[in-house]
Amino acid sequence: MQNAQTYLEIVKSRGERRLELKRVYRNLRNQELFLIAYGKLYANEGAMTPGVNPTDIVDGMSLERIDNIIAELEAGVYQWNSTRRTYIPKGNGKYRPLSIPGWEDKLLQEVIRMVLNAYYEPQFSPNSHGFRPGRGCHTALRTIQTNWVGTKWFIEGDIRSCFDEINQEKLLQIIARDIKDDRLLKLIREMMEAGYMDNWQYHKTYSGVPQGNVISPLLANIYLNELDKFVEDELYPQYNAGKSRRNNPCYNHQQAMMAKAWRHGDRDKHKALAQELRTIPSKVTDDPDFRRLKYIRYADDVRRRQAA
């Protein structure tokens, strides 16, 4: 079996070239991948937070536990445990449901996440900033500040209950379009359908990806990347018009008056006109022949901007 890092580089390369990915499930059964995943997870506070089984935590981790997971994957009998549902307060006084998986499920999720992230990260839109390496709310705000000049108005949206309402069948269809591996799709489906325990009462899951799962943010980005592509491929060409705004005649006239004052040696008038020029737009701000639509997404928060 290939070295884990070499395999991830191959997966990344195929993602960059938009090539199909195959035999992923087979390559998940790599002890090195699990060791890398362990290195990413063990120091997190959540590593010691139990799921439904209070003994299924990072404490007592061993190569034997990893080999047992790999053996179950090889036999096709790995069983995801239901998650433990808890609630955390939100800023508006409401509560956000959080699903806490057991340690071994977290470990396997991280292995899957590393492979899928290596493949999909090069394909994600530059307008997506949530749950991505080197990106976040600050990069989204910086993009708006530096690139969205001349804004006339904004449309801001928040996808209600995004994680909970994701259509699982549609998500699997999106992944199946790129990754030709039925066993991997079955493994992901079973993870999403594992259900949760709320106050020790079992509940089935019919939609969504549980918030709190290691892999859920990536799955949400794979799903919402379809929205990003729709905006960029469909809405941009339909809405955007013109190469640039027309020059503002008032601005040009003011410049001509400044040049005249300078030629006549009237420095005071030239200075006064220059100060006034700073208040006049150089371009026609409401040019009917020029339109620009821009879009940015942070997780499930969307902002669109029109410059017209």
Side-chain angles (χ1 to χ4, degrees), residues 131 160-166 207-211 216-217 220 299-300:
F131 310 123
R160 181 174 61 87
S161 303
C162 176
F163 277 70
D164 296 331
E165 299 296 333
I166 284 176
S207 66
V209 290
Q211 293 191 59
S216 291
D300 56 1

Side-chain angles (χ1 to χ4, degrees), residues 221-258:
N221 265 342
I222 293 171
Y223 192 80
L224 293 174
N225 188 56
E226 300 298 301
L227 171 63
D228 301 340
K229 291 194 295 185
F230 171 75
V231 173
E232 295 162 0
D233 297 341
E234 301 291 335
L235 297 187
Y236 278 7
Q238 291 179 24
Y239 187 84
N240 292 339
K243 292 185 177 180
S244 63
R245 289 187 176 94
R246 288 185 289 112
N247 292 330
N248 186 353
C250 294
Y251 187 89
N252 293 341
H253 177 69
Q254 190 79 357
Q255 284 185 318
M257 291 176 63
M258 288 173 57

Side-chain angles (χ1 to χ4, degrees), residues 2 7 10-11 14-15 19-28 115-116 119 175-184:
Q2 288 176 321
Y7 174 66
I10 292 172
V11 170
R14 295 193 69 84
L19 299 177
E20 291 181 351
L21 197 59
K22 299 179 180 179
R23 295 186 293 277
V24 176
Y25 187 92
R26 174 181 177 274
N27 284 282
L28 293 180
V115 176
L116 293 187
Y119 181 70
I175 298 174
R177 182 185 63 201
D178 306 315
I179 301 177
K180 308 303 180 182
D181 191 329
D182 291 340
R183 290 186 298 174
L184 175 70

Side-chain angles (χ1 to χ4, degrees), residues 127-181:
N127 293 315
S128 168
H129 289 260
F131 310 123
R132 296 182 61 189
R135 291 170 175 260
C137 60
H138 289 93
T139 59
L141 292 171
R142 194 177 305 119
T143 298
I144 293 173
Q145 182 182 36
T146 57
N147 297 340
W148 290 26
V149 293
T151 300
K152 300 296 289 185
W153 46 267
F154 290 92
I155 299 176
E156 185 174 4
D158 186 347
I159 301 174
R160 181 174 61 87
S161 303
C162 176
F163 277 70
D164 296 331
E165 299 296 333
I166 284 176
N167 186 309
Q168 294 179 353
E169 288 300 324
K170 182 63 178 178
L171 173 61
L172 290 169
Q173 288 172 16
I174 293 169
I175 298 174
R177 182 185 63 201
D178 306 315
I179 301 177
K180 308 303 180 182
D181 191 329

Side-chain angles (χ1 to χ4, degrees), residues 56-67:
D56 185 14
I57 56 177
V58 67
D59 196 27
M61 187 60 192
S62 64
L63 288 176
E64 183 180 358
R65 289 177 71 178
I66 291 176
D67 290 340

